[in-house]
């Protein structure tokens, strides 16, 4: 054996050893979550309990809260007059009666309306029409909520106060929204450090210092959130497509000629292993405590995207000292699959089912909780 070969072998062994030692030095995902004050595994109620009630409405958020979800998840937008609201779509037509109330403005984005105008919209009836088996008369006329109103809901059950998991939605449309969010959370006492007077009072909500988690797909917004709220846990959302992980295929959806957008995106995969790792490394470098990757669902459907929670992906993320919160999973077969792959929490529209899966069943049924809240 040559001296050169021996030196090369020793150097390679040393480098491998250093890499393993670095990975071993990172706390376990459960220990990391505990340190951050984030439940493990976490039940994140996607737009509230949105399988059983209209998304992002009081009915959905009160249901998720009273079932025992760890977090109420919401998408943050801003009205024309500067009020922070919880709303997913930029266009109002899917979930409101904007076409009837404001026919000439039906295609206008939500931020073209004042809060007073948004509050005239019916954000519940669409659900009854789309899901007649889950329809309830009391859903008719439900309103778009402000961030203040979602905070009120999170705080108002003395037995269980969930945290907030807030996404800056299309932040380029709302310059300065990261600063506005900080100001609102500060004003409402949600940025108080663990152990503070407020943190020990009856107003304390969520899970101590992990009571707020901030999330975004947008790199610039992640950097601004880190600048505004460096101590608040942040998650970089991931998918394979525009402005995120570069796909192996260069054929865009528009050029593919396909009609099923969900099926198209579900087939996408990262260009290569290094491309996936680059995004994880970026998230860590910007101060994120975790990632929010997409999942490929067994039954497919519009929530099924690229499988970004393969065991090696989760392992790499964990080796960098980051958590993995996967979106959006509703079936037991997929809960099992992603947990076995190594995720640390799940975004779900069916909080009742995920709680059951984690052997944390609610004390009352979905129907009873809705009735208790007047629905």
């Amino acid at each position: 054996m040559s001296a050169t070969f021996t030196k090369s072998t020793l150097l390679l062994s040393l480098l491998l050893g250093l890499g393993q030692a670095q990975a071993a030095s990172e706390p376990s995902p459960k220990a990391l979550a505990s340190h951050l004050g984030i439940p493990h595994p976490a039940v994140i109620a996607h737009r509230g309990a949105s399988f059983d009630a209209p998304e992002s409405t009081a009915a959905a958020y009160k249901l998720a809260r009273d079932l025992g979800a760890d977090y109420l998840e919401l998408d943050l937008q801003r009205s024309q007059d500067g009020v922070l609201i919880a709303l997913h779509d930029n266009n109002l037509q899917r979930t409101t009666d904007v076409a009837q109330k404001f026919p000439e403005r039906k295609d206008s984005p939500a931020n073209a309306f004042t809060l007073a105008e948004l509050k005239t919209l019916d954000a519940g009836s669409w659900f009854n029409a789309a899901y007649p088996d889950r329809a309830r008369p009391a859903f008719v006329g439900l309103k778009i909520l402000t961030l203040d109103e979602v905070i009120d809901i999170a705080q108002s059950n003395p037995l269980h106060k969930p945290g907030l998991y807030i996404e800056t939605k299309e932040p380029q449309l709302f310059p300065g929204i990261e600063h506005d969010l900080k100001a609102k959370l500060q004003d409402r006492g949600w940025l108080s450090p663990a152990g503070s007077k407020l943190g020990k009072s009856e107003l304390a909500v969520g899970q101590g210092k992990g009571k707020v988690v901030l999330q975004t797909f947008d790199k610039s917004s992640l950097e601004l959130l880190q600048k505004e709220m460096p101590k608040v846990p942040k998650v970089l959302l991931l998918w394979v497509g525009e402005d995120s992980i570069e796909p192996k295929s260069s054929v865009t959806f528009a050029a593919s000629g396909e009609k099923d957008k969900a099926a198209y995106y579900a087939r996408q995969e990262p260009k290569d292993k290094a491309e996936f790792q680059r995004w994880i490394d970026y998230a860590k470098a910007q101060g994120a405590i975790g990632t929010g990757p997409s999942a490929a669902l067994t039954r497919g459907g519009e929530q099924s995207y690229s499988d970004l929670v393969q065991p090696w992906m989760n392992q790499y993320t964990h080796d960098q000292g980051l958590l993995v919160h996967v979106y959006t999973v509703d079936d037991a077969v997929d809960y099992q699959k992603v947990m076995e792959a190594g995720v640390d929490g799940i975004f779900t529209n069916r909080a009742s089912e995920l709680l059951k899966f984690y052997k944390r069943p609610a004390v009352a049924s979905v129907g009873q909780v809705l009735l208790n809240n007047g629905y």
Side-chain angles (χ1 to χ4, degrees), residues 32-204:
L32 174 61
S34 176
H35 172 71
L36 294 166
I38 295 173
H40 190 278
V43 175
I44 306 157
H46 185 241
R47 307 177 206 169
S50 54
F51 177 86
D52 296 296
E55 66 182 65
S56 306
T57 64
Y61 285 127
K62 288 177 181 179
L63 175 57
R65 176 198 66 195
D66 295 350
L67 287 170
D70 297 312
Y71 288 99
L72 307 182
E73 192 266 356
L74 62 111
D75 306 278
L76 199 68
Q77 297 194 49
R78 189 169 59 202
S79 68
Q80 187 186 59
D81 48 342
V83 181
L84 296 177
I85 58 172
L87 185 69
H88 179 268
D89 294 10
N90 185 35
N91 185 290
L92 293 159
Q93 292 195 66
R94 181 177 66 87
T95 60
T96 78
D97 60 346
V98 68
Q100 285 75 51
K101 296 274 176 59
F102 301 97
E104 309 84 9
R105 300 164 64 195
K106 65 182 182 180
D107 293 313
S108 298
N111 64 348
F113 294 81
T114 65
L115 180 64
E117 289 173 329
L118 292 170
K119 283 292 188 180
T120 68
L121 300 177
D122 176 349
S125 291
W126 72 273
F127 182 91
N128 288 351
Y131 309 109
D133 56 321
R134 288 169 251 157
R136 286 175 177 256
F139 291 161
V140 174
L142 286 172
K143 302 301 179 186
I144 290 171
L145 298 179
T146 64
L147 175 57
D148 263 319
E149 289 171 322
V150 180
I151 291 174
D152 290 342
I153 289 169
Q155 293 181 159
S156 57
N157 180 341
L159 299 178
H160 177 66
K161 299 180 189 296
L164 295 178
Y165 211 117
I166 305 172
E167 178 180 353
T168 53
K169 193 75 186 174
E170 299 190 61
Q172 70 278 4
L173 300 177
F174 310 100
I177 197 168
E178 296 84 3
H179 179 76
D180 292 351
L181 175 57
K182 177 189 178 180
K184 176 56 67 180
L185 292 174
Q186 257 180 342
D187 180 57
R188 294 299 303 265
W190 278 66
L191 295 187
S192 301
S196 70
K197 183 178 179 182
L198 182 64
K200 293 175 181 174
S201 76
E202 289 184 5
L203 288 175

